[in-house]
Amino acid sequence: MASELSAQLYLNGSWCSSSGNSEIVSRNPAAPDEEIATFPAATVADTEDAISASVAAQDEWAAMSAHERGSYLRDAARIIEDERESLSQLIADETGKTIGGSRGEVQRTIDLLEYYAQIARDYGGTAPPSATDGTVLFTKREPWGTAGIITPWNFPIAIPTWKIAPALVSGNTVVFKPASLSPATASRLVDAFDQVELPDGVLNFVPGSGSTVGDAIATSQDVDALSFTGSTTVGEAVERAAGDTGARVQCEMGGKNAIIIDESCDLDLAVDLTVSGAYGLAGQACTAASRAIVLEGVYDEYLATLKQRVEDLVVGDPGDELTDMGPKVSASGLQEDIDYIEAGKNAGATLLTGGSELDRDGHFIEPTVFADVDPEMKIAQEEIFGPVLSVLPVSDFGEAVQVANDVQYGLTAAICTDRLHHAMSFIDDIETGVVKINQKPGGVEYQMPFGGRKRSSTETFKEQGREALEFFTHEKAIYLTDGHA
């Protein structure tokens, strides 16, 4: 495995060192003095070598059938399955995700590999009838060439997989830059492909800083498609840089996701969905529930039940089966949460529960709820990326939807209701790419398209599902007529 290879780069089918001297140190956020792994940081020259290797491997890889390419995904899935428990523990150690959540991510990775291996078998063009006798019309989908993949730390193997799997099975080669906070987990995915003897140059792994490796990928004339997940600020910069090269670009970015609670809802369900949506992964997900928008008729009862449920959450060691919420991934992330909590207090919001850093080793903070939040407050408008929930009272359903839409993001939104007309109106009127009815805002199925609106996305192409294959391919329209008069 990659850990036995002293945590290295992976270029042109070989694990190797960097041409530079800088390092990336991965640490356990629950015990920051504990080093998980130390990787050499890739340089611009290393990244250019990775891109060159990918370009050189394009033709041979694209010439394979989708069935052949899919077999590598299927075999890699078996490697991941065999390493399920050790990989789950690594995710928990490197990111602070609970062990249950880590196991779920590993299973999702296996499912994604198998899914794309399967659907590639019957993914092709169309053949509409021609208006001209003797003419056959059909379309053909072909890979772009080399795909740049830049991923975040919070789903360190699932997000890379839902980008890399469709890219590879479509016939593209890949240059992959993981987040610097979770390179060890990301390297295990690459190692799985190495173990199944993926052809040299088809997948290249370059851990390093965004300003070095990320910029080199985004500005390369030899990268034909670029898929990014991360913050809105960085994603918009990536889009601009890659746009100058003519590359096809797909960026999924931040969110300020709402769950609306109306008077008809099952209150226990509403609170369950809010808590699981807001505090899983310590709120560090672009799809996390950040705002609960509650109609006045159920507001007080909802708050009382929510407060008790949040205070019952177990915050602690992510490797403990009983832990509900682990640490923040970094000291800087923890400080950002503290700053937002202070901003909420200063704006006059009611601190219902939580709000303090926990006095223990690691980057731990209490799960936090603010009540009586005004829609214009900073904590109701900006992505916090932490376990800080804002509860906003509204007078009616129309106001609830208006408040939900009145942010710069449009990733996911949910409603908890037993009224069909509210559910249907919500589907029509909410300005998000993902809409949930009686579910939490987060948690998406891999066969469904995923992507946002407004500043949550470039609004170009969706991820996951068959739509991912559309992003990583282009379509030719073919007219075939017999050459005899």
Side-chain angles (χ1 to χ4, degrees), residues 150-375:
I150 302 175
T151 60
W153 65 267
N154 55 342
F155 292 89
I157 191 167
I159 290 180
T161 300
W162 82 45
K163 296 174 184 288
I164 291 171
L168 291 180
V169 83
S170 299
N172 300 277
T173 56
V174 169
V175 178
F176 168 37
K177 189 203 99 62
S180 294
L181 288 169
S182 56
T185 302
S187 73
R188 294 281 289 271
L189 175 62
V190 178
D191 183 62
F193 280 108
D194 183 49
Q195 289 189 54
V196 303
E197 300 181 348
L198 191 72
D200 294 352
V202 171
L203 175 61
N204 299 274
F205 175 68
V206 277
S209 71
S211 59
T212 299
V213 177
D215 284 357
I217 293 173
T219 58
S220 174
Q221 294 290 334
D222 291 322
V223 171
D224 303 292
L226 177 59
S227 183
F228 167 91
T229 297
S231 72
T232 296
T233 300
V234 176
E236 289 174 344
V238 166
E239 181 186 17
R240 289 192 296 271
D244 290 340
T245 72
R248 173 172 284 206
V249 183
Q250 170 192 71
C251 295
E252 292 304 330
M253 301 175 284
K256 190 64 178 176
N257 312 298
I259 180 168
I260 292 174
I261 314 297
D262 77 10
E263 298 99 334
S264 72
C265 75
D266 178 317
L267 190 64
D268 286 334
L269 174 63
V271 171
D272 285 344
L273 295 176
T274 305
V275 171
S276 62
Y279 303 109
L281 191 51
Q284 299 168 112
C286 59
T287 57
S290 187
R291 297 175 295 155
I293 301 171
V294 187
L295 272 67
E296 290 175 345
V298 74
Y299 184 75
D300 290 340
E301 187 179 3
Y302 171 84
L303 281 183
T305 306
L306 175 70
K307 180 177 185 293
Q308 185 60 57
R309 199 75 57 84
V310 171
E311 290 177 348
D312 287 342
L313 291 174
V314 177
V315 181
D317 179 2
D320 189 324
E321 301 283 355
L322 298 178
T323 294
D324 297 308
M325 191 181 95
K328 292 287 303 217
V329 73
S330 66
S332 61
L334 174 62
Q335 185 58 52
E336 287 175 2
D337 288 357
I338 292 170
D339 291 344
Y340 273 110
I341 289 167
E342 288 304 309
K345 292 179 187 176
N346 293 337
T350 302
L351 181 60
L352 189 68
T353 188
S356 298
E357 180 179 356
L358 295 175
D359 186 17
R360 64 177 72 169
D361 191 26
H363 310 308
F364 289 95
I365 190 169
E366 293 177 316
T368 300
V369 179
F370 278 103
D372 309 324
V373 176
D374 185 275

